[in-house]
Amino acid sequence: MYDIIIIGGGPAGMSAAIYAARGGMKTLVIEKIAYGGQAVKTHEIDNYPGFFDKPTGETVSQAIEKHARSFDVTFTQESVRSIENAEYDVKIVHTRRNKYMTKAIVFAAGAVPKKLGAEGEDMLTGAGVSYCATCDGAFFKDKDVCVIGGGNTAIEDALYLASFCRRVYVLNRSKRFKASASILETAKRNGKIEILTDTVADKFNGNGMLKSVSVRNIQTEKTAILKVSGAVVAIGVTPSSELLKECGTETCPLGFVKTDMYLATNIKGIFAAGDVRVSPLRQVVTAAADGAVAATSAINYVNELGIKSV
């Protein structure tokens, strides 16, 4: 039996692993795909204290993983299927191959990119339609592309693509942007970037490969065809919170997990950290902080529980 099981191997999960191990907890980290989470897909990180040389998200993620692995923590790559006995002192985490008993859970499963829902999106996903500029950007070198969204991620993606693409269109459905003023101004000054406000993508066109995007101005209803080879959808994320919902954990209307200031959920012994929980900001630095708080709270919970690990 483990003291703490951490579900998710992104910055929140890895930070939690470090704190749990330092707190003397027998700890298991379960990650279903690859360690690093969404941070791996970030082209450049310039807002994490101490990393002043603007490393890639992959570089930062690898450093965090290496740090976590330096402690006495068990790691396994499996997909969690269910959590049994969630409200009991000893909980059971089921994966496809195994079941693990634990006293506390730090849920740090993160979130996945939202889809636009436009015609042709599913058919052309991976064939010009992308949700990760840094993953697929190289395919669009010296070509015209568009980025759909108005937040920091969308503008960062546009700046990244502008470094090697011929032209980058940014489509934002209103005149207001969620992106920070500084990064938006940088994009506006970039001669390769054209920002189209009040504009939505209605359809992705192409037979096997993306050839163009049908766009529409929602104020004038004027339509146009953007001839682009790539389209990056950057409109936000959906929390991977289904497992906790099945346990009866409270979530907000958008599906993000509700926590208190100690990152405890409404179920004793289950804590949430990172992008999966209700938070005003979802960045690597906040995910790492969440992991530290959640693990510390889990340690206190386990110590108060007084059940001996075997």
Side-chain angles (χ1 to χ4, degrees):
M1 181 168 66
Y2 289 93
D3 292 315
I4 299 173
I5 286 181
I6 299 162
I7 300 174
M14 289 302 191
S15 175
I18 292 169
Y19 274 75
R22 290 178 69 248
M25 298 288 106
K26 185 179 179 182
T27 305
L28 171 68
V29 176
I30 304 175
E31 166 56 43
K32 66 178 180 179
I33 301 176
Y35 298 102
Q38 294 295 320
V40 173
K41 301 176 181 179
T42 304
H43 166 58
E44 186 179 271
I45 293 179
D46 65 354
N47 57 359
Y48 195 100
F51 289 84
F52 60 88
D53 53 348
K54 298 182 179 181
T56 64
E58 183 176 8
T59 298
V60 174
S61 296
Q62 288 175 347
I64 294 173
E65 180 185 351
K66 186 177 180 180
H67 190 180
R69 287 184 180 275
S70 69
F71 291 92
D72 186 17
V73 176
T74 302
F75 295 86
T76 183
Q77 282 191 278
E78 299 181 63
S79 180
V80 176
R81 296 298 181 89
S82 64
I83 299 171
E84 184 183 354
N85 295 343
E87 296 184 355
Y88 291 83
D89 291 345
V90 177
K91 310 171 196 304
I92 304 173
V93 177
H94 292 267
T95 68
R96 185 175 182 179
R97 303 189 303 268
N98 300 295
K99 66 178 182 179
Y100 304 98
M101 292 188 295
T102 184
K103 304 169 193 174
I105 293 172
V106 173
F107 195 82
V112 295
K114 287 182 179 178
K115 288 194 171 186
L116 195 63
E119 185 178 347
E121 181 177 8
D122 289 338
M123 183 177 68
L124 292 170
T125 294
V129 176
S130 170
Y131 302 88
C132 176
T134 54
C135 303
D136 302 323
F139 296 115
F140 312 134
K141 185 177 181 180
D142 298 324
K143 297 178 180 179
D144 293 349
V145 299
C146 70
V147 176
I148 302 166
N152 281 333
T153 298
I155 305 305
E156 287 170 358
D157 285 350
L159 288 167
Y160 168 64
L161 292 168
S163 66
F164 54 82
C165 290
R166 186 169 54 193
R167 189 153 193 79
V168 181
Y169 299 95
V170 176
L171 314 182
N172 188 34
R173 66 178 299 109
S174 74
K175 289 183 175 65
R176 293 184 177 182
F177 288 81
K178 293 181 180 179
S180 63
S182 60
I183 193 171
L184 185 59
E185 284 305 312
T186 300
K188 288 179 177 179
R189 290 195 299 268
N190 191 305
K192 285 187 175 183
I193 297 176
E194 181 176 346
I195 297 176
L196 305 176
T197 58
D198 297 326
T199 303
V200 296
D202 286 331
K203 183 181 179 181
F204 296 99
N205 309 304
N207 185 15
M209 288 297 294
L210 181 69
K211 298 297 182 183
S212 66
V213 177
S214 299
V215 301
R216 174 174 50 90
N217 185 294
I218 60 175
Q219 297 296 328
T220 65
E221 291 300 320
K222 183 178 179 179
T223 61
I225 300 292
L226 287 182
K227 293 183 178 180
V228 293
S229 300
V232 177
V233 180
I235 57 172
V237 296
T238 299
S240 301
S241 58
E242 288 304 316
L243 282 170
L244 288 193
K245 285 183 182 179
E246 292 171 3
C247 297
T249 304
E250 293 180 357
T251 61
C252 75
L254 296 177
F256 293 94
V257 179
K258 292 182 178 181
T259 62
D260 64 14
M261 65 182 291
Y262 301 102
L263 302 195
T265 69
N266 61 301
I267 298 179
K268 289 184 178 180
I270 296 184
F271 305 84
D275 289 359
V276 75
R277 79 175 190 91
V278 175
S279 176
L281 185 63
R282 294 183 177 87
Q283 298 283 309
V284 176
V285 68
T286 54
D290 273 8
V293 174
T296 300
S297 298
I299 291 168
N300 292 336
Y301 171 81
V302 169
N303 287 336
E304 289 174 4
L305 202 59
I307 300 175
K308 187 176 181 181
S309 294
V310 294

